[in-house]
Amino acid sequence: MVSSLCWHSMLTPHDQLPIHTHIQEVPPGAITIGRILICLPRGKGPKLEEDSFSSGNVRFHIALPAGGNDGYKIVEDTHKTTPVTFVNEECVPMVVSLDDADLKVAREGGVWAAVEWKKEGIFDFDYLVAM
Amino acid sequence: MPRALGLAVDLAHDDDDEEQHSLIELSSNSGAFNPEHSTYSPNNQRRRRSFTTTSLRHLGSASSTTSPFCKLMAALFILSIICVYKLGLQEGRNVAYEESSNGYIEDVESKNSGDSAGYQVLKSKGSGEKSENEDSNNNPWVLFHDKDDNGGGKVVQPEKSLPTPSPTKLETPPPVPTYTPTQQEEPSDAEEEEEEEEDEDESSISFYKPPSNPYIDKFKFNTSAFLTFHQNQWKQRAQNAIDIKTKYGSYCSNVDKFPDDKPMCPPLQVVDNTAIYEWDVKILNQGPTVQCMETGTKDIRCGRSDPWLNKTIWPLVRGPFCAVQDKQRNEKIPLPEELKPYYELGYDRVDPTKSTDGKPFNGGTPSPSKNKLFTFGPKIVQDHLLKFEAMLDHYYQGLSTQLLERQLSPTPESEYYLPMLTSYANQISRIILRSTKNGGDINDEMNKLVIGVLGDSVTSGTDNCYYDAWPEQLRRQLSPIFASMNINIEIRNAGKNGGWNLSPQMLCAHDMLGVNDERYIENDGLGLDFLFQCNNFVKATAVDAEHLIRRALLGGSGSHSTTVISMNLQKDMDGDAFIERYSKYGLSIGNVYQDALPELGLPESGYKYWFPANDRAFWGMQGDGFCHLTTRSGSSSVVNRNWHWGPKTHQTYADAYALLLVRATRMAIDDLVAGRMPPDSFPKPSDVEVLMDAPSEDTPPSYRDLYISDMISEKADNNNNGGISGVRCAVGAANQPNSTLLSHWLRPAEGSPFEEKMKSRNGVSFVPIDHLNSTGFYKVSSPISPPNNAVEVGDWVADPTSFGAEAPRTREQCLHVDGSTLVNMNNKPDISWLVWVSSWRICLSY
């Protein structure tokens, strides 16, 4: 059984809100196309720099369910699979696409995504996007 | 009780100015008018009344038999009568609509004919032709007339093309404004040929003509007496504006741009803080009672440190004039008692803080023998809708349709209007049927019409009480009517201040607007019925727009899978092409009139001189072109506050959507009565060609290039089948009333599939194990906040947690939407792993 409490409990500060605190659960099928983005705010905080990837300050990885028993297939440096233009863009693809097999398991079992970054590579982010 | 003050409010973006606007600091006594010279203080409604009294007194003085002002006004009045006579105004409004009992006609081939239509403003509906009289430059109402023959469906961008005042040019009494936002160049021969071909095909095009409204006839809103009265008032207002300009110049004109301008107050010498220009103090003293030389500062041009202008021109010159017009209107053409319920809506005019939502109108009961599709009496509800429209027509002095239709494209002159309206009507039919299916119990959570709202600070209500923001005004206006159909109106506003990019918000519309609410998931997936996006300042791009539009309109299935969408133009967005491509599925485009509502007249034509110039943002531009002293809800009739809309502009924008939705509801009820059911299938993405060009393959794709590739992909039908839910989001700025707190998706790396690799590389988790319980990891700001949180307002507002004098509302009425759940980025370990998951399965582990 899927419980929405897991989301609710993570947002403890909002428990006290006087307005609706809508509880959500990310349903199966959240991954539709097989793409993951991380979006960047407008503020003056640290940005994803042009050399962030080439310097190794920032790396993107994903882990997909594989083999049952909580096994995972880790794919490192997904940003290298399909280079993208990201300087001065509001969002940056972490994963541009998945092949059909990976897409299927991602749709059914979700996907873990990771940013491995050095201190000098940390950038402000806001929306984490799955599509 | 909102916990806004108890939460750590994210001010990280407050440093960002919005579209490079500079904040203007005014003295702490701003918002209250000069007590030495006026008793007007908008602290409460009672004082507002005293304003009227005082204003009348002022005018009375000025209007004594020896007053030159009086003589001028008398002369102008006589002149206006002569002009009216010369113009040959005749009985009746130009027949804009062929009175048709059937309502939505199929063909309107040249029904207009300007024959004997003395009141020339209204453009004939459904005709590409224009009578000669419509080009008359002698009628102020032509202001609302789009002079472009084929421009009905054109998307206007007045915020970009607004003419700038030319204060040095002395005005003569009307010539009338000739605002032509869709003005086009002369067509080439080839274009003319093309137009001729189009004309030949026009007979096959269906245009919209609204059904007749018996209350317009009953209350004689279409008689020459009604229209001439208002027309004469308009001329008087125009003359008054010209007088203001002639006597006092133009407010804070920008001498850099317009060196010949005669500014109301001169810029000051840097050294000794004296005026650069010689200034005719005698003239200035005829009206304004504060000399800007005394109030300006050396490094800020006139008026920026002291809002002297509105303390003088408005309360002493324009305000009293408007008060007289308002009194005349109320005496000559009062709002009929029968229409008052649609105007009053629970407003307490003595103490606005006690205003409540309007009570539901009685919707009657359906006739069981006739139709089982309704839980209300369709004729009774239709009657409410007609009265509402009539109320608007009275309020806008006979110009409600022209004025409000301009706010949204396509307009009824366009062939695309009827299909767009039909999409709205179909959506409302679905909502009515959904309500009927649920038993028509208004207390049932499922019986609601849901409107999601995206936008920037204007839409969030910044610089206003949220009470006056257009989404809230729209909700308040429509709720009693829809309640008569046992349907609640729910508006979810996720408008954010200018510190946030719009593109990801459009991407994340589904989660930002709470469509994933589990109540709805369990109930046939009720989502957003409508999505209105209004972003005056913060723009996304045409690619973002098309991506969202296609997700909203295409590929749906079932009863709730599409969202009828309306938005402003985005960067590089060809509005006409979008209208042509998508309006048949429900797209409309909102036209933003920044500080120049259509009813104001435009600066170049001389009707705005008691306001600041376009480029001089100012706190509280008072008054509108109709001389409404307040909004219908009793808020100040302020057009702009700072660079944001004031209550009056919000009201106009809300009215535009209200009129559209009311029209659509009339059509929906007619359809259902006639047995016409809304379609339950929708076009697939592959059925509708993408407007955006395929991205170049020469450079690595940006995320927007990926959007385009997705849209034109053969897999688009599969990819888009989630509607706007095809994209899911976490974290970020959302958190609005009646919306959802975005989930965070973030996890400690420990326990994740990456734990081993992280440790092998001496990394640490960016997200602490106890991040849910620690108070520092997330920065959470309340979904609602004081009205002035989004931008710094200095001393303009004495109490930034409410609105005080200018808007007599309670703190709760003033709280506006602005919240977020963000990661505190101060935590920066040397090497760290940020891990997140988009899997529902993770929830199983708790």
Side-chain angles (χ1 to χ4, degrees):
Chain A
M1 172 186 166
V2 177
S3 170
S4 57
L5 287 178
C6 59
W7 301 111
H8 190 54
S9 62
M10 292 168 188
L11 298 170
T12 306
H14 297 149
D15 292 346
Q16 301 165 30
L17 290 176
I19 51 95
H20 290 93
T21 303
H22 292 281
I23 301 165
Q24 77 161 319
E25 52 194 34
V26 179
I31 297 283
T32 52
I33 295 175
R35 185 170 301 138
I36 298 170
L37 310 176
I38 187 166
C39 295
L40 317 171
R42 283 179 86 185
K44 296 172 181 174
K47 307 287 186 192
L48 187 63
E49 302 291 346
E50 192 168 359
D51 65 348
S52 291
F53 295 129
S54 58
S55 64
N57 287 342
V58 177
R59 299 173 65 186
F60 294 151
H61 318 299
I62 60 168
L64 295 159
N69 298 323
D70 292 331
Y72 287 91
K73 177 177 84 172
I74 294 179
V75 181
E76 293 195 66
D77 295 322
T78 50
H79 55 285
K80 291 181 179 175
T81 308
T82 306
V84 295
T85 297
F86 61 89
V87 176
N88 295 326
E89 298 285 341
E90 294 97 324
C91 298
V92 179
M94 294 174 65
V95 177
V96 170
S97 64
L98 298 172
D99 63 31
D100 288 345
D102 287 347
L103 178 59
K104 184 173 185 298
V105 296
R107 280 176 171 167
E108 294 175 355
V111 57
W112 290 78
V115 182
E116 180 185 4
W117 51 21
K118 296 176 182 171
K119 185 173 182 178
E120 50 271 34
I122 290 178
F123 55 88
D124 276 357
F125 66 94
D126 47 24
Y127 298 98
L128 306 174
V129 181
M131 54 194 293
Chain B
M1 188 67 187
R3 57 188 289 273
L5 297 179
L7 289 171
V9 176
D10 175 22
L11 297 175
H13 296 274
D14 290 349
D15 292 335
D16 299 326
D17 53 8
E18 188 163 320
E19 292 294 298
Q20 308 304 315
H21 290 290
S22 61
L23 291 174
I24 300 171
E25 294 183 1
L26 298 178
S27 65
S28 60
N29 64 348
S30 63
F33 294 105
N34 189 333
E36 294 180 14
H37 305 291
S38 169
T39 58
Y40 174 45
S41 171
N43 283 328
N44 54 40
Q45 192 65 18
R46 188 176 304 160
R47 290 186 183 178
R48 184 171 293 112
R49 285 181 171 184
S50 80
F51 163 56
T52 305
T53 307
T54 305
S55 302
L56 290 171
R57 192 162 58 242
H58 277 291
L59 190 77
S61 171
S63 302
S64 67
T65 53
T66 58
S67 164
F69 178 74
C70 177
K71 290 176 180 174
L72 175 63
M73 292 302 295
L76 286 172
F77 182 71
I78 293 169
L79 181 63
S80 66
I81 292 174
I82 295 171
C83 287
V84 168
Y85 179 78
K86 290 278 186 185
L87 284 169
L89 294 177
Q90 299 175 18
E91 181 74 20
R93 175 183 349 204
N94 183 17
V95 184
Y97 314 128
E98 189 70 15
E99 297 292 341
S100 163
S101 58
N102 285 337
Y104 317 107
I105 66 165
E106 293 299 319
D107 180 28
V108 291
E109 179 74 21
S110 299
K111 293 280 188 183
N112 65 314
S113 69
D115 53 334
S116 69
Y119 202 49
Q120 307 291 350
V121 201
L122 300 176
K123 191 173 185 179
S124 57
K125 308 290 179 179
S127 170
E129 300 202 356
K130 180 174 59 175
S131 71
E132 290 181 5
N133 287 336
E134 286 181 2
D135 272 335
S136 166
N137 221 21
N138 294 321
N139 190 327
W141 262 223
V142 83
L143 169 68
F144 303 104
H145 177 75
D146 184 349
K147 293 180 75 175
D148 169 24
D149 279 354
N150 302 308
K154 297 288 180 186
V155 177
V156 298
Q157 301 185 64
E159 75 277 18
K160 290 183 178 177
S161 59
L162 277 177
T164 309
S166 178
T168 54
K169 180 179 152 192
L170 289 178
E171 301 294 330
T172 52
V176 289
T178 53
Y179 179 42
T180 55
T182 57
Q183 195 168 27
Q184 294 181 331
E185 296 178 358
E186 289 294 319
S188 65
D189 291 345
E191 286 171 333
E192 284 183 341
E193 287 176 12
E194 192 176 322
E195 284 178 10
E196 285 174 7
E197 289 176 9
E198 287 176 358
D199 290 343
E200 290 173 5
D201 295 336
E202 206 166 77
S203 59
S204 63
I205 298 172
S206 297
F207 290 89
Y208 171 74
K209 279 190 177 181
S212 62
N213 187 328
Y215 292 101
I216 299 283
D217 297 332
K218 178 179 179 181
F219 298 122
K220 300 180 179 177
F221 294 165
N222 54 2
T223 63
S224 63
F226 180 91
L227 298 171
T228 303
F229 172 82
H230 286 303
Q231 191 173 35
N232 286 337
Q233 279 209 333
W234 181 277
K235 289 179 177 176
Q236 292 167 15
R237 291 196 293 272
Q239 186 57 55
N240 176 264
I242 291 168
D243 290 345
I244 290 172
K245 178 180 178 182
T246 304
K247 286 183 180 177
Y248 310 122
S250 188
Y251 171 74
C252 279
S253 77
N254 187 333
V255 293
D256 296 331
K257 287 185 182 175
F258 308 103
D260 296 331
D261 273 6
K262 171 189 166 190
M264 278 181 175
C265 55
L268 305 174
Q269 298 283 5
V270 174
V271 179
D272 57 4
N273 200 26
T274 58
I276 292 173
Y277 300 147
E278 284 189 16
W279 188 252
D280 189 342
V281 177
K282 188 185 294 182
I283 292 176
L284 188 67
N285 280 340
Q286 289 178 2
T289 53
V290 179
Q291 296 176 29
C292 55
M293 286 83 95
E294 298 171 358
T295 60
T297 59
K298 62 181 180 182
D299 56 348
I300 303 176
R301 271 209 299 256
C302 56
R304 294 191 68 168
S305 61
D306 287 277
W308 70 277
L309 182 84
N310 269 10
K311 289 179 181 177
T312 53
I313 293 292
W314 171 258
L316 295 182
V317 183
R318 184 69 175 187
F321 168 82
C322 283
V324 170
Q325 284 217 336
D326 190 58
K327 186 169 185 289
Q328 290 172 343
R329 275 199 302 266
N330 290 334
E331 289 175 352
K332 296 274 187 186
I333 310 178
L335 180 66
E337 286 294 324
E338 210 171 339
L339 302 184
K340 282 188 176 176
Y342 306 88
Y343 184 104
E344 292 298 339
L345 296 176
Y347 299 132
D348 188 326
R349 303 194 179 281
V350 176
D351 182 358
T353 65
K354 294 180 179 173
S355 292
T356 59
D357 277 4
K359 293 178 180 175
F361 298 139
N362 178 13
T365 53
S367 171
S369 60
K370 285 189 176 177
N371 204 323
K372 299 186 185 304
L373 297 176
F374 301 103
T375 61
F376 53 87
K379 285 185 179 175
I380 292 175
V381 172
Q382 288 280 33
D383 201 52
H384 291 312
L385 299 169
L386 291 167
K387 288 176 182 172
F388 171 81
E389 288 186 1
M391 181 278 293
L392 280 183
D393 211 40
H394 180 274
Y395 182 74
Y396 288 108
Q397 303 172 11
L399 296 169
S400 64
T401 53
Q402 295 87 337
L403 172 66
L404 299 176
E405 286 167 358
R406 289 177 62 109
Q407 300 282 335
L408 297 168
S409 295
T411 58
E413 290 87 351
S414 164
E415 63 187 284
Y416 303 114
Y417 184 86
L418 182 56
M420 181 272 290
L421 184 69
T422 303
S423 294
Y424 273 74
N426 286 336
Q427 197 77 329
I428 290 173
S429 290
R430 294 183 191 104
I431 295 163
I432 292 171
L433 295 174
R434 191 166 70 206
S435 172
T436 303
K437 179 184 171 185
N438 290 328
D441 179 4
I442 196 169
N443 296 315
D444 187 325
E445 282 245 340
M446 298 304 299
N447 284 346
K448 60 175 67 170
L449 178 157
V450 184
I451 300 174
V453 178
L454 289 177
D456 58 19
S457 52
V458 168
T459 294
S460 80
T462 298
D463 286 342
N464 287 274
C465 289
Y466 186 65
Y467 189 85
D468 291 317
W470 70 264
E472 173 64 5
Q473 293 204 48
L474 178 62
R475 184 199 66 79
R476 229 169 29 235
Q477 188 68 59
L478 292 180
S479 286
I481 296 175
F482 276 80
S484 73
M485 296 185 282
N486 304 312
I487 295 169
N488 281 309
I489 299 275
E490 178 174 313
I491 293 191
R492 303 174 179 176
N493 184 356
K496 298 297 303 174
N497 74 58
W500 305 94
N501 290 317
L502 190 67
S503 171
Q505 295 182 58
M506 295 167 75
L507 196 60
C508 296
H510 177 87
D511 287 311
M512 288 186 71
L513 296 168
V515 187
N516 48 351
D517 189 319
E518 68 177 22
R519 292 173 303 165
Y520 306 139
I521 292 172
E522 294 170 1
N523 289 278
D524 203 16
L526 172 63
L528 297 181
D529 299 306
F530 298 92
L531 173 56
F532 297 159
Q533 177 176 315
C534 177
N535 51 294
N536 302 13
F537 297 112
V538 180
K539 296 293 183 187
T541 69
V543 177
D544 301 304
E546 186 163 29
H547 193 246
L548 178 57
I549 288 165
R550 292 178 73 89
R551 284 192 288 133
L553 298 178
L554 307 178
S557 61
S559 57
H560 306 305
S561 297
T562 60
T563 300
V564 173
I565 187 168
S566 181
M567 66 167 60
N568 298 151
L569 284 179
Q570 309 302 322
K571 290 174 191 168
D572 304 321
M573 183 175 171
D574 181 343
D576 297 324
F578 271 76
I579 288 291
E580 184 177 355
R581 184 66 48 87
Y582 294 111
S583 61
K584 69 186 74 169
Y585 310 114
L587 173 69
S588 61
I589 292 182
N591 299 316
V592 172
Y593 294 85
Q594 265 312 107
D595 60 350
L597 292 172
E599 70 260 42
L600 287 175
L602 291 178
E604 69 171 356
S605 300
Y607 297 95
K608 233 186 126 187
Y609 300 134
W610 61 100
F611 296 126
N614 279 340
D615 58 343
R616 307 295 294 174
F618 197 82
W619 184 262
M621 297 200 300
Q622 185 75 270
D624 66 1
F626 286 122
C627 271
H628 289 128
L629 297 177
T630 66
T631 65
R632 295 201 296 279
S633 67
S635 296
S636 300
S637 192
V638 168
V639 177
N640 262 42
R641 283 201 179 105
N642 202 341
W643 53 84
H644 296 115
W645 288 351
K648 181 63 184 64
T649 315
H650 278 286
Q651 178 180 268
T652 302
Y653 203 67
D655 284 345
Y657 279 117
L659 180 62
L660 176 61
L661 287 164
V662 162
R663 278 182 177 169
T665 306
R666 290 177 66 183
M667 183 185 278
I669 292 174
D670 283 347
D671 283 347
L672 292 175
V673 166
R676 292 188 292 269
M677 297 294 111
D680 57 4
S681 63
F682 305 92
K684 299 190 297 292
S686 58
D687 294 336
V688 183
E689 194 175 348
V690 177
L691 283 170
M692 298 295 107
D693 293 331
S696 164
E697 296 181 357
D698 297 339
T699 56
S702 69
Y703 76 103
R704 287 194 176 95
D705 292 333
L706 298 175
Y707 287 179
I708 300 174
S709 300
D710 293 342
M711 288 189 283
I712 62 180
S713 164
E714 291 178 354
K715 297 180 179 177
D717 289 348
N718 294 328
N719 293 343
N720 277 23
N721 63 6
I724 65 170
S725 69
V727 181
R728 305 303 303 271
C729 297
V731 193
N735 310 350
Q736 311 305 332
N738 294 325
S739 182
T740 317
L741 299 172
L742 289 180
S743 57
H744 64 19
W745 283 359
L746 292 169
R747 298 285 182 277
E750 294 88 350
S752 80
F754 301 108
E755 180 175 5
E756 203 172 306
K757 283 192 179 295
M758 179 188 74
K759 288 179 177 174
S760 70
R761 296 175 191 167
N762 298 319
V764 297
S765 174
F766 190 84
V767 181
I769 296 259
D770 64 343
H771 69 291
L772 295 179
N773 299 321
S774 71
T775 55
F777 185 75
Y778 289 109
K779 296 184 296 183
V780 180
S781 62
S782 172
I784 49 180
S785 63
N788 306 305
N789 255 23
V791 293
E792 186 179 351
V793 295
D795 294 330
W796 290 356
V797 180
D799 178 7
T801 64
S802 67
F803 232 85
E806 194 166 307
R809 303 286 175 193
T810 65
R811 181 178 180 279
E812 284 68 26
Q813 289 171 327
C814 283
L815 292 173
H816 84 146
V817 294
D818 183 30
S820 59
T821 301
L822 298 174
V823 172
N824 188 340
M825 298 302 290
N826 292 328
N827 174 22
K828 296 177 181 177
D830 287 342
I831 299 176
S832 59
W833 287 60
L834 174 69
V835 176
W836 58 286
V837 63
S838 62
S839 165
W840 60 276
R841 294 180 65 184
I842 196 67
C843 295
L844 297 173
S845 61
Y846 81 96

